[in-house]
Amino acid sequence: DAGVTQSPTHLIKTRGQQVTLRCSPKSGHDTVSWYQQALGQGPQFIFQYYEEEERQRGNFPDRFSGHQFPNYSSELNVNALLLGDSALYLCASSLRLAGDTQYFGPGTRLTVL
Amino acid sequence: AQSVTQPDIHITVSEGASLELRCNYSYGATPYLFWYVQSPGQGLQLLLKYFSGDTLVQGIKGFEAEFKRSQSSFNLRKPSVHWSDAAEYFCAVGLTGGGNKLTFGTGTQLKVEL
């Protein structure tokens, strides 16, 4: 049973560029949440997707957007990258009707130069 | 808004010693509570969770946690620490009854001395 997978593992971008991160949820899960974890901090909730719609959003600007596909996989897009966007981006999946247990992927390390 | 406090940024224990990591939360409703562990450069692994019922919950790797509503705490414990337990530990709180947004504490870095 495959867990949550994310790609790419690492990414280096320059300021102003755009980036897309990808996530495949754990088998049987229908909900995907994205978190940003800055160095030395706990993860911060970005947004959550269920039934291909954004259901909840944290305190992140509109430069952060996402998408969920019919197979439940998801993308996180960040436009106009800033140095402060450098972080580990974590994807978590869950089964909405089963409660609130989220299972996390290994993350994508984004470095903005 | 909910918040989670982990008052200890770093903790060092000797291998074989007992461990307690503190977690306090602020929440207006009955929370879902979690402990996750993160090894360097890795994602988060779920150690245990509390939704309802018995306030002492058992998790993986010999960890347990106790929910104390009167103290708004959910402390993580292990009777005997192994060197492989060295990692960062995060406490998190979620909404009851739906909505999977998790609010995390800032984490406690555990160092194990041999």
Side-chain angles (χ1 to χ4, degrees), chain B residues 30-41:
Chain B
T30 303
Y32 284 18
L33 295 161
F34 306 83
W35 275 99
Y36 286 88
V37 61
Q38 185 177 39
S39 298

Side-chain angles (χ1 to χ4, degrees), chain A residues 53-66:
Chain A
E53 290 188 15
E54 184 181 296
R55 300 291 178 166
Q56 290 189 68
R57 189 178 184 92
N59 188 26
F60 280 81
D62 292 344
R63 297 187 298 108
F64 289 78
S65 63

Side-chain angles (χ1 to χ4, degrees), chain B residues 16-92:
Chain B
S18 63
L19 172 70
E20 182 169 26
L21 302 183
R22 295 184 290 165
C23 172
N24 293 96
Y25 66 91
S26 173
Y27 206 66
T30 303
Y32 284 18
L33 295 161
F34 306 83
W35 275 99
Y36 286 88
V37 61
Q38 185 177 39
S39 298
Q42 301 298 313
L44 301 172
Q45 181 182 22
L46 179 69
L47 284 176
L48 48 77
K49 61 188 179 187
Y50 172 78
F51 286 179
S52 64
D54 193 348
T55 56
L56 183 64
V57 294
Q58 303 297 320
I60 62 172
K61 303 185 179 185
F63 286 93
E64 66 177 26
E66 186 172 12
F67 171 57
K68 293 185 177 180
R69 187 187 302 275
S70 62
Q71 299 177 20
S72 297
S73 70
F74 188 56
N75 293 348
L76 181 72
R77 301 194 294 248
K78 186 170 184 178
S80 178
V81 170
H82 188 262
W83 63 267
S84 61
D85 293 324
E88 188 147 27
Y89 292 79
F90 291 95
C91 180

Side-chain angles (χ1 to χ4, degrees), chain A residues 1-59:
Chain A
D1 178 23
V4 180
T5 60
Q6 293 186 243
S7 63
T9 305
H10 295 88
L11 205 52
I12 300 175
K13 293 286 188 178
T14 57
R15 281 178 296 175
Q17 285 189 311
Q18 178 263 344
V19 69
T20 297
L21 311 181
R22 295 175 176 83
C23 171
S24 291
K26 183 178 170 66
S27 178
H29 284 183
D30 57 9
T31 302
V32 173
S33 303
W34 287 92
Y35 293 80
Q36 180 195 66
Q37 186 179 17
L39 201 61
Q41 300 295 317
Q44 298 287 318
F45 176 77
I46 302 174
F47 44 53
Q48 178 191 93
Y49 277 83
Y50 171 68
E51 291 186 331
E52 302 179 47
E53 290 188 15
E54 184 181 296
R55 300 291 178 166
Q56 290 189 68
R57 189 178 184 92
N59 188 26

